Amino acid sequence: MKYLFLALFTTLFSFSQSSNYPPESGTYETYTTKKGQTISVGDHIELGLPYAGTHFIFISQDNTYVRSRLAGDVVEITKLEAATNNKKSYKMQAYFKGYGVLPVIIDIENALKTEEIILLNQ
């Protein structure tokens, strides 16, 4: 009985469903940005105008910048994951499907700053 309680307690607190800025490593269902905006798996976002003009800077697929032809598309967030930058800091990344086999990855904080993404639920 003691081990069952310990396993349940550890499970409940080891896998957080939400994260705030700055994020810690892990996969989440909901993320609250630096400015207090909330993004959840299943939310729809609009791809804004590319910051570089011809391609997005903070939206990539297979380590390649996404081209400007996706501007204006509305996509659904399928995953939220905090990725490390040399274990000194973490960046929250949103994933969506729909353009090939590999997922498209968004650096949330920077894409919001440059208006490469627009949150439709705010």
Side-chain angles (χ1 to χ4, degrees):
M1 182 69 170
K2 181 169 90 173
Y3 295 110
L4 178 62
F5 176 76
L6 182 60
L8 181 61
F9 182 79
T10 304
T11 302
L12 287 174
F13 292 101
S14 295
F15 301 104
S16 177
Q17 294 296 313
S18 64
S19 177
N20 296 323
Y21 179 86
E24 293 185 20
S25 181
T27 302
Y28 299 95
E29 293 292 319
T30 303
Y31 172 64
T32 303
T33 68
K34 188 175 187 178
K35 291 187 177 183
Q37 299 166 300
T38 303
I39 302 172
S40 299
V41 171
D43 282 356
H44 289 83
I45 61 169
E46 181 179 345
L47 302 181
L49 296 175
Y51 190 68
T54 59
H55 60 275
F56 291 91
I57 298 293
F58 301 108
I59 303 174
S60 64
Q61 183 175 24
D62 194 28
N63 292 323
T64 304
Y65 296 125
V66 172
R67 306 297 286 167
S68 62
R69 68 179 178 270
L70 300 184
D73 285 3
V74 175
V75 297
E76 181 180 347
I77 300 297
T78 58
K79 181 180 176 182
L80 293 169
E81 181 178 48
T84 183
N85 181 9
N86 298 325
K87 296 186 181 183
K88 294 180 182 178
S89 65
Y90 292 91
K91 288 189 175 196
M92 186 60 77
Q93 298 177 329
Y95 293 73
F96 67 88
K97 298 177 185 176
Y99 303 101
V101 177
L102 299 172
V104 180
I105 303 170
I106 303 168
D107 176 348
I108 294 175
E109 293 293 342
N110 289 320
L112 284 170
K113 245 187 255 186
T114 60
E115 297 180 356
E116 286 192 341
I117 61 171
I118 300 161
L119 303 180
L120 298 177
N121 66 340
Q122 301 297 312

